[in-house]
Amino acid sequence: MAAVMEDEVFKVFTTHATVVLVKLLLMGPLTAFYRFSRGAFANEEDVALKPAEERKKMLRTHPDVERVRRCHQNDLETVVPFVLVGLLYTLTGPELSSAQLCFRLFTGARLFHTVSYVVALPQPCRALSWMLGMGVNFFMAYRVLQTVLVL
């Protein structure tokens, strides 16, 4: 394991994977912040300590909460594959410059995607950042298959 941790490509991957995973982890607390600040809760037990008339008003959806939830869902659909495919890509021994470009593009795209989603920047901001991240994932998957494909 120590030898892998000395590999420059693996270090770069680990750095970027950690950044996007921490960003993914922060989406839960961000959702909670929006739920509390907008007074919009999904479950009866979340508002159980409130008076009955207040409970009914708080059990609702709110566009801001739903926006953050959709952003979180999108992270799950792209960050998890990035970590898995990126690890396999790292194990194929790519050139450091190519790997850095892939990892930087993906990380930048996901950070910009989150900002454009939560702040509601006009399209095509969010769509382009999503496509860039997906493109990186598909490129790495292609390179992995190209390297190890055995039929």
Side-chain angles (χ1 to χ4, degrees):
M1 182 69 166
V4 172
M5 293 302 280
E6 292 173 15
D7 180 68
E8 286 303 311
V9 172
F10 188 75
K11 285 181 186 178
V12 173
F13 168 70
T14 303
T15 300
H16 287 273
T18 302
V19 168
V20 294
L21 285 169
V22 167
K23 192 206 83 56
L24 172 66
L25 288 170
L26 289 173
M27 294 307 293
L30 186 61
T31 303
F33 168 79
Y34 273 87
R35 283 199 184 284
F36 280 95
S37 65
R38 305 309 191 260
F41 297 90
N43 302 303
E44 191 72 44
E45 63 271 15
D46 297 339
V47 294
L49 299 177
K50 299 287 183 182
E53 60 276 351
E54 224 179 300
R55 271 186 254 158
K56 288 183 181 179
K57 287 189 256 178
M58 296 178 85
L59 285 174
R60 63 188 177 94
T61 60
H62 189 281
D64 294 342
V65 175
E66 292 308 306
R67 179 173 288 283
V68 175
R69 289 183 69 241
R70 288 190 304 272
C71 184
H72 192 181
Q73 178 66 38
N74 192 276
D75 273 352
L76 290 170
E77 295 167 358
T78 55
V79 171
V80 172
F82 168 76
V83 171
L84 297 173
V85 173
L87 178 60
L88 295 174
Y89 175 68
T90 299
L91 294 174
T92 66
E95 287 191 32
L96 178 60
S97 59
S98 298
Q100 279 180 321
L101 180 61
C102 285
F103 303 151
R104 286 176 179 166
L105 284 174
F106 184 85
T107 302
R110 290 316 302 171
L111 293 172
F112 185 74
H113 180 271
T114 298
V115 170
S116 65
Y117 216 140
V118 173
V119 177
L121 295 178
Q123 285 287 24
C125 294
R126 191 176 79 241
L128 291 174
S129 61
W130 177 83
M131 284 189 266
L132 179 58
M134 288 300 284
V136 169
N137 277 345
F138 281 116
F139 171 79
M140 291 188 305
Y142 170 78
R143 295 294 296 179
V144 169
L145 290 174
Q146 186 182 42
T147 303
V148 302
L149 188 63
V150 179
L151 295 176

